[in-house]
Amino acid sequence: MPGIERVGVVGAGLMGSGIAEVHAKAGLDVTVTEVSQPALDAGRARIEKSLQRGVKHNKISEADASAALARLTFTTDLESFADRDLVVEAILEQEQAKLDVFARLDKIVTSEHAIFASNTSSIPIMKLGMATQRPAQVVGIHFFNPVPVLPLVELVPSLLTGEETIARADAHATGTLHKTVIRSQDRAGFIVNSLLVPYLLSAIRMIESGFASAEDIDRGMELGTAHPMGPLRLSDLIGLDTVKAIADSMYTEFKEPLYSSPPLLLRMVDAGLLGKKSGRGFYSY
Ligand code: CAA
């Protein structure tokens, strides 16, 4: 199987920066792109901060953190992805924007063995594959936030993903990144979000109806079921715009009321109260 040494990450937000970090720590040459210089600078700062946090927690030495940073190249020019063996798309959860990225990558990336992966939580991999001339090389590789900490990856082949692509993506996630892989069919939400998102939406409906306070809902799940964080703090961590986007995709796919966003979530997203990344969601940061 052709090896994966040169990796491109499209998007340096919460997920893209974590994905770039774990690839650089695994010794790979990583190029990260963003649509604007400020977004790129913010992504770089996020990676530097996370590497320093890893050093503080004795997860990585100062020297290895510096070496990982040196393996990262930051650019706003997607054209520089021509020589990449693997590209992981981690832009915002918007179908048309992702389709555009895949169509552009198809023209830019020259290696005939290159794998195009998406970190989408909910947009069909099949659609992303069909935006390219090489759907057999398009696959979902879905990471979890914080990427450097959480050990899971969902591997999502589409109907047309080739066996070799699946095997290479699996070997990469397990052998190189040391993640645990679970496989899901190409259905909005895959395994984890199909269970997680209705739970998060239920917690938001609880607040909306005056059933309990955010603190008590979260404390209930943390102390009563040993979750590391309750559903409202977790929604803030994921980003309320992202929770809404995933719920929308699942609702579009299944038309189930349990996937429909409660009005409170819609209003908070309209207000820019997106959670930890914007400084305020159900909590202030
Ligand atoms: N690099 C490496 N390791 C790090 C690190 C970093 N930057 N930051 C923290 N760590 C390690 C710490 O060393 C610690 O490891 P040990 O347990 O071995 O000591 C561990 O991570 C926890 O770190 P902290 O003690 O600093 O933090 P915490 O205990 O408060 O946990 C948390 C923070 C990891 C976020 C935890 O609360 C948690 O796991 N929350 C749930 C997160 C979750 O469910 N995420 C999934 C969201 S869904 C998603 O992402 C997919 C989607 O499509 C929406």
Side-chain angles (χ1 to χ4, degrees), residues 50 53 57 59 121 142 144-145 149-150 193 228-229 234 238:
S50 177
R53 203 171 147 80
H57 283 267
K59 298 286 176 192
S121 321
H142 183 218
F144 290 81
N145 177 22
V149 179
L150 294 196
N193 280 320
M229 53 174 56
L234 181 54
I238 294 169

Side-chain angles (χ1 to χ4, degrees), residues 14 145 193 196-205 207 214 217-218 222 229-247 262 264-265 268-269 273-278 280-283 285:
L14 278 182
N145 177 22
N193 280 320
L196 178 66
V197 170
Y199 158 68
L200 300 180
L201 298 178
S202 299
I204 297 169
R205 285 191 195 98
I207 296 207
I217 293 169
D218 279 350
E222 285 159 15
M229 53 174 56
L232 299 163
R233 199 168 284 286
L234 181 54
S235 297
D236 275 359
L237 177 74
I238 294 169
L240 300 191
D241 51 342
T242 303
V243 172
K244 176 189 172 298
I246 301 170
L264 176 61
L265 176 62
M268 289 179 77
V269 172
L273 304 177
L274 305 181
K276 199 171 173 197
K277 64 183 168 190
S278 74
R280 189 176 149 200
F282 293 104
Y283 299 92
Y285 298 88

Side-chain angles (χ1 to χ4, degrees), residues 172-205:
H172 176 71
T174 52
T176 305
L177 302 182
H178 307 297
K179 298 288 187 190
T180 297
V181 169
I182 58 173
R183 290 205 191 182
S184 170
Q185 282 202 9
D186 186 18
R187 297 286 181 274
F190 312 138
I191 296 171
V192 173
N193 280 320
S194 292
L195 295 169
L196 178 66
V197 170
Y199 158 68
L200 300 180
L201 298 178
S202 299
I204 297 169
R205 285 191 195 98

Side-chain angles (χ1 to χ4, degrees), residues 29-252:
D29 171 323
V30 185
T31 302
V32 188
T33 186
E34 255 297 353
V35 285
S36 70
Q37 194 59 44
L40 196 62
D41 292 344
R44 186 194 182 99
R46 202 175 287 117
I47 295 172
E48 284 174 353
K49 193 170 161 200
S50 177
L51 283 168
Q52 277 318 309
R53 203 171 147 80
V55 170
K56 205 176 107 207
H57 283 267
N58 290 320
K59 298 286 176 192
I60 185 172
S61 70
E62 190 77 55
D64 286 347
S66 301
L69 203 53
R71 282 186 212 105
L72 286 154
T73 304
F74 296 86
T75 175
T76 52
D77 183 12
L78 194 63
E79 301 285 331
S80 61
F81 277 32
D83 67 348
R84 301 292 97 183
D85 304 313
L86 165 69
V87 179
V88 186
E89 168 277 315
I91 66 166
L92 68 183
E93 200 67 359
Q94 282 178 10
E95 187 173 309
Q96 191 54 52
K98 286 189 192 281
L99 292 174
D100 291 347
V101 165
F102 276 78
R104 283 187 68 199
L105 287 171
D106 196 32
K107 294 200 174 69
I108 291 169
V109 178
T110 53
S111 161
E112 57 176 314
H113 298 293
I115 294 178
F116 294 170
S118 177
N119 180 58
T120 181
S121 321
S122 56
I123 291 167
I125 305 303
M126 191 67 268
K127 289 195 179 176
L128 304 179
M130 295 311 280
T132 74
Q133 301 296 315
R134 30 184 153 174
Q137 286 156 244
V138 176
V139 68
I141 304 182
H142 183 218
F143 293 82
F144 290 81
N145 177 22
V147 181
V149 179
L150 294 196
L152 186 70
V153 157
E154 287 179 313
L155 187 62
V156 189
S158 79
L159 285 178
L160 297 184
T161 306
E163 285 304 325
E164 181 173 310
T165 302
I166 300 172
R168 287 175 69 206
D170 196 331
H172 176 71
T174 52
T176 305
L177 302 182
H178 307 297
K179 298 288 187 190
T180 297
V181 169
I182 58 173
R183 290 205 191 182
S184 170
Q185 282 202 9
D186 186 18
R187 297 286 181 274
F190 312 138
I191 296 171
V192 173
N193 280 320
S194 292
L195 295 169
L196 178 66
V197 170
Y199 158 68
L200 300 180
L201 298 178
S202 299
I204 297 169
R205 285 191 195 98
M206 263 190 165
I207 296 207
E208 191 167 45
S209 65
F211 193 113
S213 68
E215 287 80 3
D216 281 355
I217 293 169
D218 279 350
R219 212 171 285 135
M221 295 311 289
E222 285 159 15
L223 302 183
T225 64
H227 287 197
M229 53 174 56
L232 299 163
R233 199 168 284 286
L234 181 54
S235 297
D236 275 359
L237 177 74
I238 294 169
L240 300 191
D241 51 342
T242 303
V243 172
K244 176 189 172 298
I246 301 170
D248 286 349
S249 293
M250 291 169 67
Y251 187 77
T252 302

